[in-house]
Amino acid sequence: MFALAAAVFFLLALIFALAGLSVGGVLTVTTLGLAGLLCVALHLMGVGAGWSVLKK
């Protein structure tokens, strides 16, 4: 799921960069890129993969 979110963030960052858009001072190409990298890192760590530790 995080990989899909990262792809969406990277797509939005690309569109913003090509169009030269910026929404306020918060939502920029840099913040979208960093959000995408965070999602990729979480995906590679296995967060949200559905695995759980069995407790006895």
Side-chain angles (χ1 to χ4, degrees), residues 4-52:
L4 180 63
V8 170
F9 282 133
F10 288 139
L11 177 65
L12 287 174
L14 177 65
I15 291 170
F16 276 32
L18 291 175
L21 296 175
S22 175
V23 179
V26 178
L27 194 58
T28 62
V29 174
T30 305
T31 56
L32 288 171
L34 289 174
L37 288 174
L38 175 66
C39 288
V40 168
L42 290 172
H43 172 73
L44 290 175
M45 283 177 40
V47 175
W51 291 91
S52 63

